[in-house]
Amino acid sequence: NEVKENNVNIINTSSSPINIDFANVPEHIKLKCVPTVLQAGQTGQINITYDASKVDDWGFVINSVFLKQNGKVDYNQKLSVSVTIEEDYSKLSPEEREKAPIIVFESATFNFGSIKEGESVEHEFKFQNKGKRDLMIRKIKTSCGCTAIHPPKTLIAPGESSSIKMVFNSKGKTGRQYKTITVITNSVANPTTVLKIIGTVN
């Protein structure tokens, strides 16, 4: 629910004035160049405002916007705006924290050993909600090289168990492998869990 601001310095290295605007800007980001028109050799700032309350996402989130110079979009001038969005637990009472959902994985690491290039391996990361309220699976994000399949339900009752299935395809890969799956939930004690997949592709 926070709004944050930041600035990026900018300079006009050309010999003519440039009017700076932006393209591909999402609703939750506001950009302004000060001054709007940069004279030859002049420096300025891009003011960036990010409103997390308008974003339906969790964890590491990145957006790319492009500069418009004199009304023309320059796709070589990209500005990446990134944040990490976390749930606000600061107002929870001790009683609410005590009753909060708790996600517990049987194991957060899977070692597939040694496989031949082109082979695939599958694994289920089993977990349980050991808290006293429903556990919500908010987001599952994988690093390159593996696919994570969401559990059958994203709302896990207290005491209920489920799993996240992983498929790793070794096609085009060789040597030691280290991949991750990031699981974001409403588990107050550990809202972000990083599952690890390791092994060797021959």
Side-chain angles (χ1 to χ4, degrees), residues 62-80:
I62 187 167
N63 294 101
S64 295
V65 299
F66 299 95
L67 266 66
K68 291 173 67 175
Q69 300 187 37
N70 297 328
K72 184 178 180 181
V73 180
D74 185 351
Y75 292 102
N76 293 318
Q77 298 286 351
K78 181 175 72 172
L79 182 65
S80 297

Side-chain angles (χ1 to χ4, degrees), residues 23-185:
N24 196 45
V25 183
E27 181 186 1
H28 58 276
I29 296 176
K30 293 188 182 302
L31 299 168
K32 182 181 180 181
C33 186
V34 181
T36 304
V37 178
L38 292 175
Q39 302 300 319
Q42 185 180 11
T43 60
Q45 281 191 333
I46 298 173
N47 299 332
I48 307 163
T49 304
Y50 194 103
D51 187 351
S53 68
K54 296 180 179 179
V55 185
D56 185 19
D57 207 344
W58 303 92
F60 182 76
V61 180
I62 187 167
N63 294 101
S64 295
V65 299
F66 299 95
L67 266 66
K68 291 173 67 175
Q69 300 187 37
N70 297 328
K72 184 178 180 181
V73 180
D74 185 351
Y75 292 102
N76 293 318
Q77 298 286 351
K78 181 175 72 172
L79 182 65
S80 297
V81 183
S82 63
V83 298
T84 299
I85 301 176
E86 298 175 340
E87 193 160 353
D88 182 12
Y89 296 116
S90 62
K91 297 180 182 179
L92 291 183
S93 67
E95 293 78 13
E96 288 173 319
R97 288 181 178 273
E98 195 273 332
K99 294 178 180 179
I102 302 172
I103 188 169
V104 178
F105 282 87
E106 287 186 1
S107 175
T109 301
F110 169 59
N111 189 334
F112 60 78
S114 181
I115 61 175
K116 293 181 179 179
E117 189 273 330
E119 291 182 338
S120 294
V121 291
E122 298 182 3
H123 177 71
E124 286 191 45
F125 288 98
K126 297 180 181 179
F127 66 90
Q128 184 181 13
N129 177 10
K130 293 193 175 182
K132 298 178 181 179
R133 289 186 176 168
D134 289 345
L135 174 74
M136 297 177 63
I137 307 297
R138 296 200 182 279
K139 185 177 182 179
I140 297 176
K141 185 177 181 179
T142 66
S143 63
C144 178
C146 61
T147 301
I149 300 172
H150 281 67
K153 298 189 299 180
T154 57
L155 199 65
I156 314 300
E160 188 177 0
S161 297
S162 189
S163 65
I164 295 171
K165 183 178 179 181
M166 178 279 306
V167 181
F168 172 73
N169 187 343
S170 66
K171 184 177 181 181
K173 299 177 178 63
T174 57
R176 188 69 172 167
Q177 301 295 311
Y178 178 86
K179 308 298 178 184
T180 61
I181 300 172
T182 301
V183 183
I184 300 175
T185 69

